[in-house]
């Protein structure tokens, strides 16, 4: 069963984009503290090569494709390779190691959707967009 499509109300007045509906008082707590979130950066992948492959180098160096400002990450820490079908995580000789699902990586390992990859203090989840899209549709 699909959710019905709900259209937003039409704009009325000059502050329609910033006004919000008041919440019922039972849902509002007076003693809420502001939440301080670290800077969130969103990046896009570079286009794959003509053969459909892609290599992302992860590290502290500004020359890397994914730059991590993390003192526990090496200049060129690891690489994620994509051949158009399968992802591969490759260790590039980092000082503190690369971890896949909590286990220290030897030299390389295949990636599956949902795998947790850790470089220094930074953890990422490897997701195939097609499987993520299907999962999101199921959860609606």
């Amino acid at each position: 069963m699909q959710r019905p499509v709900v259209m937003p109300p039409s704009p009325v007045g000059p502050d329609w984009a910033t006004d919000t509906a008041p919440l019922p008082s039972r849902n509002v707590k007076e003693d809420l503290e502001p939440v301080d979130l670290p800077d969130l950066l969103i990046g896009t992948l570079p286009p794959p090569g003509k053969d459909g492959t892609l290599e992302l180098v992860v590290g502290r160096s500004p020359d890397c494709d994914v730059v991590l400002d993390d003192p526990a990450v090496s200049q060129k820490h690891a690489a994620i390779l994509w051949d158009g079908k399968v992802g591969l995580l490759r260790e590039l000789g980092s000082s503190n190691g690369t971890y896949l699902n909590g286990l220290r990586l030897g030299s390389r390992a295949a990636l599956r959707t949902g795998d947790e990859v850790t470089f220094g203090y930074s953890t990422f989840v490897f997701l195939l967009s097609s499987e993520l899209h299907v999962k999101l549709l199921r959860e609606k």
Side-chain angles (χ1 to χ4, degrees):
M1 185 172 166
Q2 288 186 326
R3 275 189 181 171
V5 176
V6 178
M7 299 300 291
S10 60
V12 180
D15 296 326
W16 71 272
T18 56
D19 286 346
T20 59
L23 293 173
S25 59
R26 68 176 183 267
N27 291 339
V28 178
K29 296 180 181 176
E30 296 295 326
D31 58 349
L32 289 179
E33 294 290 324
V35 178
D36 184 26
L37 297 176
D39 292 338
L40 175 65
L41 300 176
I42 298 173
T44 58
L45 296 177
K50 290 183 180 183
D51 59 354
T53 63
L54 177 68
E55 179 177 3
L56 297 174
V57 177
V58 179
R60 255 188 10 249
S61 170
D63 297 331
C64 292
D65 300 299
V66 179
V67 179
L68 300 177
D69 184 18
D70 181 341
V73 172
S74 297
Q75 291 293 316
K76 291 196 176 177
H77 196 98
I80 298 172
L81 301 119
W82 177 254
D83 69 0
K85 296 178 184 171
V86 177
L88 181 73
L89 178 62
R90 187 176 68 192
E91 167 64 42
L92 297 179
S94 67
S95 301
N96 294 317
T98 300
Y99 291 80
L100 178 61
N101 298 322
L103 300 174
R104 189 168 181 150
L105 185 67
S107 61
R108 62 184 63 202
L111 288 168
R112 295 175 308 200
T113 192
D115 280 347
E116 286 190 3
V117 182
T118 303
F119 315 101
Y121 297 111
S122 306
T123 299
F124 299 85
V125 177
F126 178 80
L127 294 171
L128 296 175
S129 59
S130 59
E131 292 180 29
L132 175 63
H133 183 72
V134 168
K135 181 177 172 99
L136 289 174
L137 287 175
R138 280 189 204 145
E139 290 180 6
K140 282 187 176 182

